[in-house]
Amino acid sequence: MVRTLGVAVVGFGWMGRVHTQAYARVPHHFPGLSLRPELVAVADEVPGRAEEAAAQYGFAAAHRGWREVAADPRVQAVSIAAPNFLHREIGLAMTEAGKHIWIEKPVGLTAEDARAVSDAVTKAGVQGTVGFNYRGAPAVAAARELIASGEIGTVTHVRIRLFSDYAAHPEGALTWRYERERGGSGVLGDLASHGVDLARFLLGEIEALTADTAIFLPRRARPTGATAGHTRATGGELGPVENEDYVNCLLRFASGARGVLEACRVSVGEQNNYGFEVHGTKGAVFWDFRRMGELGVSRGTSYQDQPVSTVYVGPGDGEYAAFQPGSANSMGYDDLKVIEAHHFLRSIAENTPYGATLADAVHSAAALDAMSRSAEQGAWVPLA
């Protein structure tokens, strides 16, 4: 029997839009799901934005403030896509109101924030899904299985990269993303959080790390109006960039493997260059988000001069079959958010966590805090 679940979206920038579209698509890709999301409410503080969202997508109610959403008994589940500094407050309020939450990473500004929301989810007995979308790529699922099977031997080292140019333009507006008080960390929370999640998803727990960070564009112009995404601003008052543009980090895993994680938001010439290279004693596996449906795989008994083959993922890998009938048919970023939405709704339907949870967010945030401490102290930092 299929039942309706009232959902709301708080924060209707680009990510709120992606969540909304994912809710609309879930029944088409996962028809066996016992829940059907109904768009009950949308909230955004920018004048007119929530009303536009309601008109375009069919939300029953539009609000300027998120507290109206928390008080609405029709809303049973909430997507939290507001700025980072609001994650803790909104997350706590929604869980205390008995609502399930799908919240974007990094779940606040610190590990303490993420832990507070995680504890609230547990206390309230609701489900919580976190926006670590890259682990949902079928190729990443296939890589994880390949690594776990021992086909590349014992993992020795991994390199994870997340390079982008979304903040590379010197006229990029000085939005909340560049402020410590509202954005928290910079590229740590935005991109390195995904890198930590991929590292743990593929290789297990991180035991210790050491990191270095840098700000390469120290001043930006303040915007004169509402912003969404990564807009530009000219002529506004210049202000300081308070969080990092770049991080590199050495990792030690509990398994004994070693790793390098590097992320940058001001990499000119790089657009969404995200991926990993995992090396083992008998082979290796490579993934590039820009070629999302492919893996580079080296396996065999040659060791030296062993070739790398391109493997196209297919219906047997992850959730691929919900989108395409055969190997080498392309999937895109928005499909990953549909997979997340499915995990969220399935978690609610079965009262069992699926996909990335608040516990994963806590682990990621703890690693980010450790990176910040390491960069300040110039030392290795253990992760308890």
Side-chain angles (χ1 to χ4, degrees):
M1 178 178 177
V2 177
R3 59 189 176 92
T4 299
L5 183 81
V7 302
V9 176
V10 174
F12 208 80
W14 170 66
M15 188 54 67
R17 186 179 299 271
V18 173
H19 276 230
T20 302
Q21 292 169 169
Y23 284 129
R25 292 177 56 194
V26 161
H28 303 289
H29 294 282
F30 298 95
L33 188 64
S34 62
L35 289 179
R36 289 292 182 272
E38 179 184 1
L39 300 178
V40 171
V42 58
D44 195 289
E45 65 177 9
V46 177
R49 187 181 284 175
E51 289 77 9
E52 290 175 5
Q56 182 175 1
Y57 292 100
F59 288 97
H63 305 290
R64 283 285 299 276
W66 57 264
R67 288 179 177 82
E68 291 93 329
V69 173
D72 191 337
R74 300 173 299 169
V75 175
Q76 298 162 282
V78 181
S79 279
I80 302 173
N84 297 349
F85 69 97
L86 294 172
H87 285 188
R88 177 172 179 161
E89 183 181 11
I90 298 174
L92 293 179
M94 296 303 173
T95 54
E96 288 170 2
K99 304 181 192 305
H100 308 281
I101 60 171
W102 175 13
I103 185 169
E104 277 305 315
K105 54 81 202 169
V107 189
L109 306 182
T110 64
E112 180 184 352
D113 287 348
R115 193 170 292 109
V117 178
S118 180
D119 290 346
V121 164
T122 301
K123 181 179 179 180
V126 297
Q127 295 297 320
T129 294
V130 180
F132 289 128
N133 44 268
Y134 298 108
R135 66 157 60 190
V140 175
R144 188 185 193 214
E145 290 188 9
L146 186 147
I147 292 165
S149 73
E151 284 197 61
I152 65 170
T154 300
V155 173
T156 53
H157 59 102
V158 59
R159 178 175 179 265
I160 299 172
R161 69 187 184 282
L162 299 110
F163 298 146
S164 191
D165 64 356
Y166 65 79
H169 202 290
E171 294 179 359
L174 187 67
T175 64
W176 61 267
R177 296 178 183 277
Y178 302 99
E179 300 174 2
R180 283 286 179 191
E181 185 177 352
R182 296 194 297 165
S185 61
V187 77
L188 286 179
D190 197 20
L191 295 181
S193 58
H194 284 297
V196 172
D197 186 66
L198 283 173
R200 292 184 60 250
F201 186 69
L202 295 170
L203 303 183
E205 299 304 330
I206 300 167
E207 194 171 71
L209 58 80
T210 184
D212 183 35
T213 63
I215 298 174
F216 297 132
L217 292 176
R219 295 177 67 79
R220 295 178 182 271
R222 300 186 187 281
T224 56
T227 62
H230 305 286
T231 56
R232 296 182 190 176
T234 56
E237 178 188 358
L238 292 179
V241 172
E242 298 173 350
N243 50 33
E244 72 289 334
D245 291 324
Y246 170 84
V247 61
N248 66 61
C249 181
L250 300 181
L251 306 170
R252 291 177 184 164
F253 292 87
S255 66
R258 298 296 193 263
V260 176
L261 190 161
E262 191 176 17
C264 185
R265 64 188 181 187
V266 296
S267 296
V268 175
E270 301 281 13
Q271 296 86 38
N272 300 319
N273 182 359
Y274 310 150
F276 55 75
E277 304 152 13
V278 181
H279 294 267
T281 53
K282 296 194 299 183
V285 58
F286 310 89
W287 180 68
D288 187 327
F289 169 65
R290 299 165 300 179
R291 303 173 72 92
M292 193 169 75
E294 301 177 18
L295 285 177
V297 179
S298 178
R299 53 190 163 189
T301 57
S302 299
Y303 298 99
Q304 190 174 6
D305 298 328
Q306 186 163 283
V308 177
S309 300
T310 298
V311 176
Y312 296 101
V313 297
D317 300 308
E319 303 283 10
Y320 185 93
F323 298 86
Q324 299 294 350
S327 299
N329 284 297
S330 298
M331 290 176 62
Y333 177 90
D334 285 15
D335 296 328
L336 302 184
K337 301 310 273 190
V338 175
I339 291 171
E340 266 185 37
H342 172 244
H343 286 159
F344 180 44
L345 297 171
R346 186 181 178 191
S347 297
I348 297 168
E350 300 179 18
N351 196 31
T352 300
Y354 290 95
T357 66
L358 268 298
D360 294 310
V362 171
H363 281 289
S364 177
L368 301 184
D369 283 2
M371 290 180 198
S372 293
R373 294 198 305 275
S374 175
E376 292 173 2
Q377 300 168 6
W380 282 87
V381 175
L383 274 70

